[in-house]
Amino acid sequence: MDFGGRDMISIRDLTKEEIEHMLGTAEGMELSPPGDILRGKTLATLFFEPSTRTRISFEAAMQRLGGKTIGFSGAGTASVAKGESLTDTIRTVERYSDAIAIRHPRDGAARLSAEVSSKPVINAGDGANQHPTQTLLDLYTIKREKGRLDVEVALVGDLKYGRTVHSLAYALAMFGAHLTLTSPKGLEMPREVISDLQKFGPRVAKEDDLAEVASKVEVLYVTRIQKERFPDPEEYERVRGTYKITMETLRNARENLIILHPLPRVDEIAAEVDGTRYAKYFDQVYYGLPVRMAILGLLMGAV
Ligand code: NCD
């Protein structure tokens, strides 16, 4: 399967077989690191929004493969602050790099970048839309922990503005997972995302009681309320702190439950949960490394 030169913009652009191939490549890289296959290659990381894990793991992945990174984090330091357009920024950066990873507050910014760039563009999160590389690492984590992807998963939290869950719901449905959606009122999964899932079969349920959800599913995927996307700060105040996973929530948890979170966490998982056997969110962080090594190796045509 040849991914060389391709972009990675939406999870919808990938087939099941392609996702399986990427996950298999990541596993190979985790178990036996391939060495400097990206020597002489440069990845540009253009982060117009805050990031800890995504940007650093892309940089770490490049280094592990013998490549280099350039870029900026925070639009305030780049020429966009002078009024430069995104497309001019991309046309500039593509001349200095072999691939571009971009995070931007606007839905569609990654797609637009890919249209003007002759080098592969990787969407590291565009607005409330998509975050496909996070989805691959989420799938990888589930596969490593559960051995399969047709699991029972609850997506919890801000399903309206959360881009991670928009990408992940689609991929999980594709692999035959059963989804339970749990969100505060007003932050439900958008209708168009749900209707997109229907083509894989009717596998979506809703449930409000978190303890009940934890007693039924195998994977609890918890997300942060995406405060920065709220047009009205009062709307945020109404929903803030309305859900939290605590030991009490987990009192009847299913024996083989795992808890995942794309991070950052604010207050939606109590620290007391971190030491339990359910908590897998920091393993999930680790899995971001082999997954991003695989993505970079594949898109730059090195594997
Ligand atoms: C997520 C994001 O940026 O969408 N973070 C990440 O990449 N792990 C989730 C979030 O910000 O809540």
Side-chain angles (χ1 to χ4, degrees):
M1 220 174 260
D2 187 11
F3 284 88
R6 273 178 68 173
D7 304 307
M8 192 165 172
I9 306 301
S10 167
I11 202 75
R12 290 183 188 78
D13 301 336
L14 295 167
T15 64
K16 208 169 147 177
E17 292 68 32
E18 286 171 338
I19 291 175
E20 279 165 347
H21 183 75
M22 290 185 131
L23 297 177
T25 306
E27 189 163 10
M29 290 196 177
E30 186 192 349
L31 302 179
S32 84
D36 291 350
I37 57 172
L38 293 183
R39 187 191 296 278
K41 301 278 188 198
T42 301
L43 172 73
T45 59
L46 309 187
F47 278 66
F48 294 86
E49 276 193 337
S51 171
T52 298
R53 278 149 292 269
T54 306
R55 188 176 58 80
I56 292 178
S57 65
F58 265 121
E59 291 182 0
M62 260 328 258
Q63 285 176 20
R64 296 269 174 117
L65 297 177
K68 291 195 162 45
T69 55
I70 55 171
F72 57 78
S73 91
T77 60
S79 282
V80 279
K82 300 180 184 171
E84 184 166 56
S85 68
L86 175 63
T87 48
D88 282 1
T89 304
I90 297 296
R91 285 189 189 106
T92 303
V93 170
E94 70 158 327
R95 286 171 165 77
Y96 305 140
S97 59
D98 301 289
I100 299 172
I102 178 170
R103 167 170 292 186
H104 197 281
R106 227 170 42 233
D107 293 31
R111 182 80 68 198
L112 176 64
S113 302
E115 278 162 17
V116 298
S117 173
S118 60
K119 308 281 172 62
V121 172
I122 303 168
N123 183 4
D126 65 322
N129 186 34
Q130 284 273 309
H131 194 347
T133 69
Q134 177 71 42
T135 292
L136 275 192
L137 82 87
D138 295 340
L139 295 176
Y140 188 77
T141 307
I142 295 171
K143 191 101 189 287
R144 290 300 302 263
E145 295 294 329
K146 297 284 173 206
R148 47 186 242 285
L149 292 172
D150 56 343
V151 287
E152 291 166 55
V153 185
L155 303 178
V156 177
D158 185 349
L159 307 184
K160 179 178 181 185
Y161 296 117
R163 56 194 172 202
T164 62
V165 282
H166 297 162
S167 294
L168 182 60
Y170 187 89
L172 284 171
M174 189 192 271
F175 282 95
H178 289 253
L179 303 178
T180 300
L181 307 179
T182 305
S183 54
K185 210 169 161 17
L187 296 184
E188 289 86 2
M189 186 69 92
R191 210 180 285 276
E192 56 283 8
V193 178
I194 295 188
S195 73
D196 232 19
L197 308 177
Q198 302 303 333
K199 66 174 173 236
F200 303 113
R203 298 174 193 279
V204 185
K206 288 192 181 152
E207 170 63 60
D208 287 337
D209 184 336
L210 271 179
E212 176 76 12
V213 173
S215 73
K216 284 189 186 150
V217 299
E218 301 168 88
V219 181
L220 204 56
Y221 189 94
V222 186
T223 63
R224 165 183 77 90
I225 296 185
Q226 309 282 297
K227 182 180 179 186
E228 66 276 28
R229 310 258 178 254
F230 283 66
D232 173 4
E234 270 177 37
E235 195 196 333
Y236 172 70
E237 288 305 323
R238 268 199 299 276
V239 289
R240 125 188 223 185
T242 49
Y243 59 95
K244 184 168 190 163
I245 310 297
T246 61
M247 292 312 282
E248 177 56 20
T249 320
L250 300 173
R251 69 189 181 277
N252 292 321
R254 190 163 160 179
E255 178 62 27
N256 61 351
L257 175 74
I258 60 168
I259 303 173
L260 303 182
H261 192 308
L263 303 178
R265 146 176 70 174
V266 183
D267 57 5
E268 56 282 348
I269 302 178
E272 62 189 11
V273 176
D274 297 358
T276 68
R277 66 174 188 281
Y278 309 118
K280 295 290 180 192
Y281 25 94
F282 287 103
D283 297 314
Q284 187 182 359
V285 169
Y286 164 70
Y287 291 136
L289 192 53
V291 167
R292 293 197 166 105
M293 284 165 69
I295 292 168
L296 291 168
L298 286 164
L299 300 190
M300 292 199 217
V303 283

mmCIF file of all heavy atoms in Angstrom, residues 6-35:
data_model
loop_
_atom_site.group_PDB
_atom_site.id
_atom_site.type_symbol
_atom_site.label_atom_id
_atom_site.label_comp_id
_atom_site.label_asym_id
_atom_site.label_seq_id
_atom_site.Cartn_x
_atom_site.Cartn_y
_atom_site.Cartn_z
ATOM 1 N N ARG A 6 0.763 11.435 -0.028
ATOM 2 C CA ARG A 6 -0.646 11.709 0.304
ATOM 3 C C ARG A 6 -0.795 12.656 1.483
ATOM 4 O O ARG A 6 0.094 12.801 2.299
ATOM 5 C CB ARG A 6 -1.365 10.395 0.643
ATOM 6 C CG ARG A 6 -1.930 9.716 -0.592
ATOM 7 C CD ARG A 6 -2.589 8.423 -0.264
ATOM 8 N NE ARG A 6 -3.820 8.576 0.534
ATOM 9 C CZ ARG A 6 -4.639 7.563 0.817
ATOM 10 N NH1 ARG A 6 -4.355 6.353 0.379
ATOM 11 N NH2 ARG A 6 -5.723 7.763 1.518
ATOM 12 N N ASP A 7 -1.974 13.299 1.556
ATOM 13 C CA ASP A 7 -2.308 14.139 2.711
ATOM 14 C C ASP A 7 -3.070 13.293 3.722
ATOM 15 O O ASP A 7 -3.582 12.217 3.397
ATOM 16 C CB ASP A 7 -3.236 15.293 2.280
ATOM 17 C CG ASP A 7 -2.634 16.130 1.175
ATOM 18 O OD1 ASP A 7 -1.495 16.592 1.354
ATOM 19 O OD2 ASP A 7 -3.302 16.297 0.130
ATOM 20 N N MET A 8 -3.200 13.820 4.937
ATOM 21 C CA MET A 8 -4.063 13.181 5.929
ATOM 22 C C MET A 8 -4.928 14.276 6.555
ATOM 23 O O MET A 8 -4.493 14.973 7.473
ATOM 24 C CB MET A 8 -3.222 12.469 6.976
ATOM 25 C CG MET A 8 -4.074 11.586 7.830
ATOM 26 S SD MET A 8 -3.050 10.452 8.733
ATOM 27 C CE MET A 8 -4.277 9.757 9.795
ATOM 28 N N ILE A 9 -6.105 14.426 6.013
ATOM 29 C CA ILE A 9 -6.956 15.569 6.383
ATOM 30 C C ILE A 9 -8.164 15.148 7.215
ATOM 31 O O ILE A 9 -8.495 15.776 8.215
ATOM 32 C CB ILE A 9 -7.445 16.318 5.112
ATOM 33 C CG1 ILE A 9 -6.244 16.706 4.232
ATOM 34 C CG2 ILE A 9 -8.296 17.533 5.486
ATOM 35 C CD1 ILE A 9 -5.225 17.601 4.899
ATOM 36 N N SER A 10 -8.852 14.107 6.762
ATOM 37 C CA SER A 10 -10.029 13.633 7.497
ATOM 38 C C SER A 10 -9.963 12.120 7.574
ATOM 39 O O SER A 10 -9.454 11.464 6.653
ATOM 40 C CB SER A 10 -11.311 14.034 6.757
ATOM 41 O OG SER A 10 -12.420 13.330 7.299
ATOM 42 N N ILE A 11 -10.510 11.571 8.629
ATOM 43 C CA ILE A 11 -10.530 10.114 8.771
ATOM 44 C C ILE A 11 -11.406 9.497 7.667
ATOM 45 O O ILE A 11 -11.194 8.366 7.247
ATOM 46 C CB ILE A 11 -10.998 9.706 10.196
ATOM 47 C CG1 ILE A 11 -10.529 8.314 10.547
ATOM 48 C CG2 ILE A 11 -12.500 9.861 10.367
ATOM 49 C CD1 ILE A 11 -9.078 8.202 10.886
ATOM 50 N N ARG A 12 -12.338 10.302 7.147
ATOM 51 C CA ARG A 12 -13.221 9.816 6.076
ATOM 52 C C ARG A 12 -12.473 9.559 4.775
ATOM 53 O O ARG A 12 -12.988 8.908 3.880
ATOM 54 C CB ARG A 12 -14.329 10.835 5.791
ATOM 55 C CG ARG A 12 -15.335 10.954 6.893
ATOM 56 C CD ARG A 12 -16.437 11.932 6.480
ATOM 57 N NE ARG A 12 -17.310 12.213 7.586
ATOM 58 C CZ ARG A 12 -17.021 13.040 8.582
ATOM 59 N NH1 ARG A 12 -15.858 13.678 8.587
ATOM 60 N NH2 ARG A 12 -17.863 13.231 9.560
ATOM 61 N N ASP A 13 -11.273 10.121 4.646
ATOM 62 C CA ASP A 13 -10.489 9.925 3.420
ATOM 63 C C ASP A 13 -9.797 8.559 3.401
ATOM 64 O O ASP A 13 -9.176 8.196 2.403
ATOM 65 C CB ASP A 13 -9.407 11.016 3.283
ATOM 66 C CG ASP A 13 -10.004 12.416 3.250
ATOM 67 O OD1 ASP A 13 -11.185 12.546 2.886
ATOM 68 O OD2 ASP A 13 -9.283 13.382 3.597
ATOM 69 N N LEU A 14 -9.863 7.836 4.531
ATOM 70 C CA LEU A 14 -9.151 6.559 4.622
ATOM 71 C C LEU A 14 -10.132 5.391 4.598
ATOM 72 O O LEU A 14 -11.218 5.473 5.188
ATOM 73 C CB LEU A 14 -8.350 6.498 5.930
ATOM 74 C CG LEU A 14 -7.201 7.505 6.064
ATOM 75 C CD1 LEU A 14 -6.702 7.563 7.501
ATOM 76 C CD2 LEU A 14 -6.052 7.145 5.134
ATOM 77 N N THR A 15 -9.737 4.312 3.943
ATOM 78 C CA THR A 15 -10.559 3.104 3.992
ATOM 79 C C THR A 15 -10.160 2.298 5.236
ATOM 80 O O THR A 15 -9.115 2.554 5.844
ATOM 81 C CB THR A 15 -10.318 2.213 2.751
ATOM 82 O OG1 THR A 15 -8.954 1.765 2.794
ATOM 83 C CG2 THR A 15 -10.572 2.958 1.452
ATOM 84 N N LYS A 16 -11.010 1.318 5.527
ATOM 85 C CA LYS A 16 -10.712 0.435 6.647
ATOM 86 C C LYS A 16 -9.355 -0.253 6.462
ATOM 87 O O LYS A 16 -8.546 -0.337 7.382
ATOM 88 C CB LYS A 16 -11.831 -0.622 6.668
ATOM 89 C CG LYS A 16 -12.136 -1.196 7.981
ATOM 90 C CD LYS A 16 -13.411 -2.007 7.870
ATOM 91 C CE LYS A 16 -13.329 -3.164 8.803
ATOM 92 N NZ LYS A 16 -14.549 -3.973 8.833
ATOM 93 N N GLU A 17 -9.112 -0.707 5.242
ATOM 94 C CA GLU A 17 -7.854 -1.408 4.960
ATOM 95 C C GLU A 17 -6.657 -0.471 5.144
ATOM 96 O O GLU A 17 -5.610 -0.884 5.637
ATOM 97 C CB GLU A 17 -7.855 -1.969 3.528
ATOM 98 C CG GLU A 17 -8.836 -3.102 3.276
ATOM 99 C CD GLU A 17 -10.318 -2.673 3.335
ATOM 100 O OE1 GLU A 17 -10.621 -1.496 2.961
ATOM 101 O OE2 GLU A 17 -11.159 -3.478 3.758
ATOM 102 N N GLU A 18 -6.825 0.779 4.726
ATOM 103 C CA GLU A 18 -5.718 1.737 4.877
ATOM 104 C C GLU A 18 -5.441 2.014 6.356
ATOM 105 O O GLU A 18 -4.283 2.113 6.774
ATOM 106 C CB GLU A 18 -6.041 3.032 4.128
ATOM 107 C CG GLU A 18 -5.928 2.862 2.622
ATOM 108 C CD GLU A 18 -6.444 4.057 1.839
ATOM 109 O OE1 GLU A 18 -7.253 4.849 2.374
ATOM 110 O OE2 GLU A 18 -6.055 4.192 0.672
ATOM 111 N N ILE A 19 -6.508 2.149 7.142
ATOM 112 C CA ILE A 19 -6.319 2.377 8.579
ATOM 113 C C ILE A 19 -5.615 1.176 9.202
ATOM 114 O O ILE A 19 -4.666 1.322 9.977
ATOM 115 C CB ILE A 19 -7.673 2.654 9.275
ATOM 116 C CG1 ILE A 19 -8.210 4.015 8.820
ATOM 117 C CG2 ILE A 19 -7.535 2.610 10.801
ATOM 118 C CD1 ILE A 19 -9.592 4.374 9.342
ATOM 119 N N GLU A 20 -6.057 -0.029 8.821
ATOM 120 C CA GLU A 20 -5.420 -1.240 9.358
ATOM 121 C C GLU A 20 -3.933 -1.275 8.988
ATOM 122 O O GLU A 20 -3.086 -1.644 9.796
ATOM 123 C CB GLU A 20 -6.127 -2.498 8.836
ATOM 124 C CG GLU A 20 -7.382 -2.794 9.635
ATOM 125 C CD GLU A 20 -8.306 -3.800 8.965
ATOM 126 O OE1 GLU A 20 -8.117 -4.105 7.764
ATOM 127 O OE2 GLU A 20 -9.241 -4.262 9.666
ATOM 128 N N HIS A 21 -3.629 -0.872 7.769
ATOM 129 C CA HIS A 21 -2.232 -0.852 7.331
ATOM 130 C C HIS A 21 -1.413 0.129 8.172
ATOM 131 O O HIS A 21 -0.282 -0.164 8.584
ATOM 132 C CB HIS A 21 -2.156 -0.484 5.852
ATOM 133 C CG HIS A 21 -0.765 -0.518 5.305
ATOM 134 N ND1 HIS A 21 -0.107 -1.697 5.020
ATOM 135 C CD2 HIS A 21 0.113 0.470 5.024
ATOM 136 C CE1 HIS A 21 1.113 -1.423 4.579
ATOM 137 N NE2 HIS A 21 1.274 -0.111 4.576
ATOM 138 N N MET A 22 -2.000 1.300 8.444
ATOM 139 C CA MET A 22 -1.283 2.300 9.256
ATOM 140 C C MET A 22 -1.061 1.790 10.677
ATOM 141 O O MET A 22 0.021 1.965 11.249
ATOM 142 C CB MET A 22 -2.059 3.616 9.272
ATOM 143 C CG MET A 22 -2.034 4.320 7.927
ATOM 144 S SD MET A 22 -2.841 5.937 7.992
ATOM 145 C CE MET A 22 -1.591 6.953 7.207
ATOM 146 N N LEU A 23 -2.081 1.150 11.226
ATOM 147 C CA LEU A 23 -1.944 0.629 12.594
ATOM 148 C C LEU A 23 -0.895 -0.487 12.641
ATOM 149 O O LEU A 23 -0.095 -0.575 13.573
ATOM 150 C CB LEU A 23 -3.296 0.108 13.118
ATOM 151 C CG LEU A 23 -4.421 1.149 13.252
ATOM 152 C CD1 LEU A 23 -5.719 0.483 13.721
ATOM 153 C CD2 LEU A 23 -4.040 2.274 14.208
ATOM 154 N N GLY A 24 -0.889 -1.308 11.612
ATOM 155 C CA GLY A 24 0.106 -2.390 11.532
ATOM 156 C C GLY A 24 1.517 -1.826 11.414
ATOM 157 O O GLY A 24 2.458 -2.325 12.049
ATOM 158 N N THR A 25 1.663 -0.762 10.624
ATOM 159 C CA THR A 25 2.979 -0.125 10.475
ATOM 160 C C THR A 25 3.435 0.446 11.815
ATOM 161 O O THR A 25 4.599 0.327 12.203
ATOM 162 C CB THR A 25 2.912 0.991 9.405
ATOM 163 O OG1 THR A 25 2.394 0.429 8.203
ATOM 164 C CG2 THR A 25 4.275 1.609 9.150
ATOM 165 N N ALA A 26 2.486 1.063 12.542
ATOM 166 C CA ALA A 26 2.811 1.638 13.856
ATOM 167 C C ALA A 26 3.265 0.533 14.809
ATOM 168 O O ALA A 26 4.244 0.700 15.552
ATOM 169 C CB ALA A 26 1.609 2.371 14.424
ATOM 170 N N GLU A 27 2.588 -0.582 14.772
ATOM 171 C CA GLU A 27 2.959 -1.681 15.671
ATOM 172 C C GLU A 27 4.363 -2.188 15.346
ATOM 173 O O GLU A 27 5.183 -2.414 16.234
ATOM 174 C CB GLU A 27 1.927 -2.809 15.590
ATOM 175 C CG GLU A 27 2.162 -3.847 16.653
ATOM 176 C CD GLU A 27 0.960 -4.742 16.892
ATOM 177 O OE1 GLU A 27 -0.004 -4.693 16.095
ATOM 178 O OE2 GLU A 27 1.001 -5.498 17.871
ATOM 179 N N GLY A 28 4.629 -2.326 14.059
ATOM 180 C CA GLY A 28 5.969 -2.745 13.638
ATOM 181 C C GLY A 28 7.027 -1.774 14.147
ATOM 182 O O GLY A 28 8.089 -2.176 14.626
ATOM 183 N N MET A 29 6.701 -0.470 14.071
ATOM 184 C CA MET A 29 7.683 0.540 14.503
ATOM 185 C C MET A 29 7.837 0.553 16.014
ATOM 186 O O MET A 29 8.918 0.838 16.523
ATOM 187 C CB MET A 29 7.268 1.915 14.004
ATOM 188 C CG MET A 29 7.420 2.047 12.504
ATOM 189 S SD MET A 29 7.375 3.756 12.015
ATOM 190 C CE MET A 29 7.673 3.595 10.256
ATOM 191 N N GLU A 30 6.756 0.242 16.727
ATOM 192 C CA GLU A 30 6.864 0.204 18.180
ATOM 193 C C GLU A 30 7.729 -0.987 18.610
ATOM 194 O O GLU A 30 8.614 -0.855 19.454
ATOM 195 C CB GLU A 30 5.478 0.103 18.834
ATOM 196 C CG GLU A 30 5.589 0.219 20.348
ATOM 197 C CD GLU A 30 4.329 -0.138 21.117
ATOM 198 O OE1 GLU A 30 3.247 -0.298 20.521
ATOM 199 O OE2 GLU A 30 4.459 -0.271 22.350
ATOM 200 N N LEU A 31 7.472 -2.126 17.973
ATOM 201 C CA LEU A 31 8.159 -3.339 18.411
ATOM 202 C C LEU A 31 9.593 -3.414 17.897
ATOM 203 O O LEU A 31 10.479 -3.890 18.575
ATOM 204 C CB LEU A 31 7.353 -4.577 18.007
ATOM 205 C CG LEU A 31 5.919 -4.585 18.587
ATOM 206 C CD1 LEU A 31 5.154 -5.810 18.134
ATOM 207 C CD2 LEU A 31 5.907 -4.475 20.115
ATOM 208 N N SER A 32 9.816 -2.934 16.672
ATOM 209 C CA SER A 32 11.205 -2.870 16.217
ATOM 210 C C SER A 32 11.434 -1.563 15.459
ATOM 211 O O SER A 32 11.135 -1.445 14.267
ATOM 212 C CB SER A 32 11.564 -4.124 15.416
ATOM 213 O OG SER A 32 11.198 -4.062 14.116
ATOM 214 N N PRO A 33 11.959 -0.565 16.177
ATOM 215 C CA PRO A 33 12.179 0.768 15.613
ATOM 216 C C PRO A 33 13.020 0.693 14.336
ATOM 217 O O PRO A 33 14.041 0.003 14.302
ATOM 218 C CB PRO A 33 12.906 1.526 16.726
ATOM 219 C CG PRO A 33 12.546 0.797 17.992
ATOM 220 C CD PRO A 33 12.384 -0.645 17.582
ATOM 221 N N PRO A 34 12.577 1.391 13.279
ATOM 222 C CA PRO A 34 13.201 1.206 11.974
ATOM 223 C C PRO A 34 14.484 1.986 11.743
ATOM 224 O O PRO A 34 15.108 1.847 10.690
ATOM 225 C CB PRO A 34 12.110 1.706 11.017
ATOM 226 C CG PRO A 34 11.341 2.695 11.797
ATOM 227 C CD PRO A 34 11.395 2.269 13.227
ATOM 228 N N GLY A 35 14.917 2.819 12.694
ATOM 229 C CA GLY A 35 16.145 3.589 12.468
ATOM 230 C C GLY A 35 15.874 4.858 11.675
ATOM 231 O O GLY A 35 14.730 5.313 11.582
#
